[in-house]
Amino acid sequence: MWSVYVVVRMRHIITNGKVLQGDDIKPGLNVVVESGTITAISSQVRPGPADSVTDASGCFVLPGLVDLHSHGIRDVMVDKDDVFRYADHHLSCGVTSCVATLAGSPPANMRRMKEILAQTDDFSLTPNLVGFRPEIMYLADASGGPSASLARPEPSLTRRVWDASGGRIPIWDVSPELDGALELISWCAANGITASMAHSSAGIQRVREAVSAGLGLVTHLYDLYPMPVESDPGVYPAGVTDYINVEDRLSAEVIPDGVHAHPLLVEITLRCKGLDRVAFITDSLKGSGNPPGRYEGLIPGEPVEVTADRGIRRVSDDLLSGSALTHLQSFRNAVRLFGKSIPEASRLCSRTPARILGLSRKGTLAPGMDADVIIMDSELELRAVILAGRKVKG
């Protein structure tokens, strides 16, 4: 864990790697990093005596992972635990950009955001944290989250929460069927925030209206959305998830654990929307990345159990309450469970999430981009993590 973060100003060269450039893996290239920025990718550049060198022979050199949606990881929940450990645990899993996802009520979220910004000096001490995401507060159904956090979208409340974040909310979740939701979505669009449909029972027409108002994202598609309803016996029904799949103005999150969404449904979404409009996320909680066992949940006094193959379940009623994934496992699952290539997995776990967040200097490796880099071997084991030019693992 870092206590002071400094952009490394000496030249750092990653040598002999299989480097992802665009959609192609190119072997034998060197990546040159100066002052936190990639300045060259070439086989012609050679390290000098004053350069710092990382040998990536036989390994993939890829953009750092980007997680849009994480409540916690290992032994921390970002709502109340040590934010430095939260950031560090994500970094140890290759996540160089992460959105701290909050499950509290509006007052609790405001207090926590102000506290984190003060502790981290506006994220300068935790540079892999890129903002906040209030998921639960404007939902119709908290599901596995705390129902006490729910509130009605209301302009003055929205403005107070936004101000408390210091303008650091890139994604705001909302159920479109709520009174005031369409106004919130329009306000988000006007302020450069991605409004994301979540925990919703809205029908197709209401979601169309939300898209017209500026809705841009769907939170963990297939999880907490209504099944199609048969209105005419013998006629196959269409549901809101079908509309989402063919609506080109919407991007979609997917939890790639094989539990929250059946792999066949994920493949349908990938074929409909393409890799540039699907982002793999974790929706991780305290306990994610840990061995199976019982851990503290989102709701006080409601412990959850991390299972080997059924996600995270609430102990009291076996309700699915989050994934047990780290984002490194999301990447591996993209390859091993969903059959994607290394470049395709990187698009799902880095490039598309960065695009959704508006992080124009992250998610790809090219001159002028931030030097957020991971190095993985052929078994998809993480060998090194470089954040803004600084080697923090490996």
Side-chain angles (χ1 to χ4, degrees), residues 84-292:
F84 291 95
R85 279 209 317 278
Y86 172 85
D88 195 54
H89 287 330
H90 274 293
L91 199 56
S92 72
C93 296
V95 177
T96 55
S97 297
C98 181
V99 181
T101 306
L102 303 173
S105 65
N109 287 343
M110 287 187 275
R111 286 193 301 271
R112 184 57 174 156
M113 289 188 294
K114 290 177 180 178
E115 182 179 61
I116 288 174
L117 290 174
Q119 290 173 347
T120 64
D121 192 17
D122 288 342
F123 292 139
S124 65
L125 301 180
T126 53
N128 65 323
L129 300 188
V130 298
F132 301 107
R133 178 174 182 171
E135 185 193 5
I136 302 296
M137 55 179 277
Y138 283 162
L139 301 185
D141 177 11
S143 187
S147 58
S149 296
L150 300 178
R152 185 179 70 82
E154 196 274 324
S156 63
L157 177 59
T158 298
R159 174 56 69 177
R160 292 198 302 275
V161 174
W162 172 248
D163 289 344
S165 78
R168 301 294 191 96
I169 297 177
I171 299 174
W172 207 318
D173 293 271
V174 63
S175 300
E177 64 267 34
L178 293 178
D179 290 342
L182 297 186
E183 291 78 5
L184 171 74
I185 291 166
S186 296
W187 180 87
C188 285
N191 285 275
I193 303 164
T194 297
S196 189
M197 172 180 172
H199 295 224
S200 177
S201 59
I204 294 173
Q205 182 55 38
R206 183 65 169 184
V207 180
R208 286 186 192 274
E209 294 169 0
V211 172
S212 295
L215 186 75
L217 183 64
V218 177
T219 302
H220 45 59
L221 181 59
Y222 298 113
D223 183 33
L224 298 172
Y225 294 93
M227 298 287 288
V229 177
E230 184 179 298
S231 57
D232 187 357
V235 177
Y236 193 87
V240 70
T241 57
D242 301 298
Y243 167 66
I244 289 167
N245 277 330
V246 299
E247 175 51 78
D248 290 342
R249 292 172 290 178
L250 285 175
S251 295
E253 296 178 350
V254 168
I255 302 173
D257 60 357
V259 179
H260 285 80
H262 191 283
L264 180 57
L265 294 176
V266 175
E267 185 62 27
I268 289 170
T269 296
L270 288 170
R271 294 193 188 194
C272 286
K273 305 199 80 64
L275 297 172
D276 292 329
R277 290 199 298 272
V278 177
F280 279 6
I281 62 162
T282 60
D283 195 13
S284 56
L285 302 173
K286 180 182 278 191
S288 297
N290 282 354

Side-chain angles (χ1 to χ4, degrees), residues 316-337:
S316 63
D317 56 8
D318 200 41
L319 181 71
L320 184 61
S321 299
S323 88
L325 295 173
T326 66
H327 213 29
L328 180 58
Q329 190 59 51
S330 296
F331 185 96
R332 292 170 178 157
N333 283 0
V335 176
R336 296 170 179 167
L337 181 60

